[in-house]
Amino acid sequence: MMKNRLTTFAARLLLPVLAATCLLTACRNTPKQAPQQPVAQAAAQSAGRDTTLQPSAEPVTQQDTTCCGWHVVLQTAANNTQIRGTNLRDSTLLVTISKNGKLLFDRKPITTRTVLGGEDDTRQLGPSFVSLITNTTVYIIAGAYVPDSDDGFASVFAFSRNGSLSVYPMPESYDYFDIATEFYIMYTHENLQRPVDRPSLQKVAREYGTEAFVRQLDKDGPLSIYPPIVAGKYHLDVDFSVYTETLEEAGNIREWANMYFYDKQQQRSVGSMRVELAGEKNEYNDIGYNKINRIYAP
């Protein structure tokens, strides 16, 4: 199962995420409480008649961020779903988003069911955070895990300025290559916006890539990191899957992966690209990989 993903997400949740991700734009992340409507009213609006999704306690504000004309408030509250085999209850994430003063999402609920795409009473909603904000979209990553383990899955929730919400399940990957998966999900989402916002594409590239990779995209174009059939016949409407390897050559370690693209209907591979990550040594002489260095045809 996705090795170290829970640890990675929890660590990222504790970092000043927006300071790094909303590049070239002033952002503010404050602990203030958002104006709250009664819980029963909010739950009824958000969850309809399904009482298992209704928060059963007052929401707690986890993040209150202004950035790029957006105002994002993330709140959590316990709900009525019991985690099987434990005395724990699941929780609901409530997302409120406005853009340039216009309310787009009012306490939109994200639950374990939303993340996984179906019922699973053995997992509970884990760390959720704003991963990136562009001119067009707020990206929130949420995961659902077996308690006290990294046995689980995550999804990227793309809240767009036109009021639409796209949910992208993240396929299983290992260690550093969540970076490649997140990049492809967000970069593809930006490429599907109409009109395409070039500064938003560049922001995603700079967040996940080295300067060399940004230059590659500027030179070759935003569709150059897809197989021609994916950009052409499938119009980028595909699923992703990552196969990773570590190569050791003359004492130098290089991490790379093949990113496979799948037909959504038949779930067959229609092409692949190779993703290479750049490594940096820390004070303990360990190599960490946190940026895409290049993407090319295998």
Side-chain angles (χ1 to χ4, degrees):
M1 210 56 70
M2 292 178 293
K3 179 182 176 184
N4 296 331
R5 173 166 284 175
L6 182 58
T7 304
T8 302
F9 281 2
R12 291 175 61 178
L13 187 63
L14 296 174
L15 294 174
V17 178
L18 266 297
T21 55
C22 199
L23 302 174
L24 308 179
T25 307
C27 300
R28 185 171 68 255
N29 193 8
T30 63
K32 67 181 180 180
Q33 293 282 339
Q36 295 186 3
Q37 62 189 122
V39 173
Q41 179 183 350
Q45 292 177 355
S46 299
R49 297 181 180 180
D50 189 344
T51 58
T52 63
L53 303 186
Q54 296 182 10
S56 55
E58 282 297 323
V60 176
T61 299
Q62 303 293 338
Q63 194 169 0
D64 186 338
T65 300
T66 55
C67 185
C68 311
W70 297 88
H71 184 196
V72 184
V73 179
L74 303 186
Q75 298 173 294
T76 57
N79 61 37
N80 298 327
T81 300
Q82 188 83 19
I83 305 302
R84 177 158 40 103
T86 75
N87 58 0
L88 301 173
R89 284 191 300 170
D90 204 357
S91 60
T92 298
L93 177 69
L94 300 173
V95 181
T96 300
I97 297 178
S98 60
K99 172 71 168 174
N100 296 327
K102 179 183 178 181
L103 182 65
L104 299 177
F105 302 92
D106 187 8
R107 289 194 172 189
K108 181 70 175 178
I110 294 177
T111 65
T112 295
R113 179 198 297 176
T114 318
V115 171
L116 300 178
E119 298 289 349
D120 187 339
D121 62 0
T122 66
R123 293 183 170 89
Q124 65 181 157
L125 197 68
S128 306
F129 58 94
V130 177
S131 181
L132 185 66
I133 295 178
T134 68
N135 293 334
T136 73
T137 306
V138 174
Y139 297 95
I140 294 173
I141 296 180
Y145 301 90
V146 173
D148 300 320
S149 81
D150 60 359
D151 180 357
F153 302 89
S155 290
V156 177
F157 294 80
F159 295 83
S160 298
R161 62 185 175 187
N162 63 3
S164 66
L165 169 60
S166 301
V167 182
Y168 300 100
M170 291 184 64
E172 294 182 42
S173 59
Y174 294 86
D175 294 328
Y176 310 107
F177 279 95
D178 281 340
I179 294 171
T181 304
E182 290 174 27
F183 166 76
Y184 260 107
I185 286 174
M186 296 179 191
Y187 202 76
T188 301
H189 180 83
E190 294 294 343
N191 267 314
L192 291 173
Q193 301 304 294
R194 295 293 179 267
V196 175
D197 184 73
R198 182 174 175 79
S200 294
L201 281 173
Q202 291 176 328
K203 180 171 286 186
V204 176
R206 291 187 181 279
E207 172 61 18
Y208 287 94
T210 62
E211 288 300 320
F213 181 57
V214 173
R215 289 194 297 270
Q216 175 192 335
L217 289 173
D218 287 342
K219 176 177 177 292
D220 298 337
L223 299 182
S224 63
I225 59 170
Y226 304 94
I229 191 173
V230 171
K233 176 181 176 180
Y234 288 93
H235 306 290
L236 306 185
D237 187 22
V238 292
D239 289 329
F240 309 106
S241 182
V242 181
Y243 173 76
T244 68
E245 282 195 27
T246 301
L247 296 182
E248 188 167 352
E249 299 172 338
N252 296 318
I253 295 177
R254 180 166 61 96
E255 290 273 355
W256 61 270
N258 281 338
M259 178 69 72
Y260 291 94
F261 302 84
Y262 290 85
D263 180 293
K264 284 188 173 181
Q265 281 68 44
Q266 300 180 19
Q267 284 300 302
R268 61 182 179 85
S269 176
V270 294
S272 67
M273 298 293 286
R274 181 159 293 181
V275 181
E276 181 182 296
L277 297 189
E280 290 183 343
K281 286 188 177 182
N282 60 23
E283 63 270 28
Y284 304 106
N285 213 34
D286 295 324
I287 298 178
Y289 299 87
N290 56 9
K291 292 284 186 178
I292 296 170
N293 195 49
R294 61 174 178 151
I295 296 178
Y296 55 98

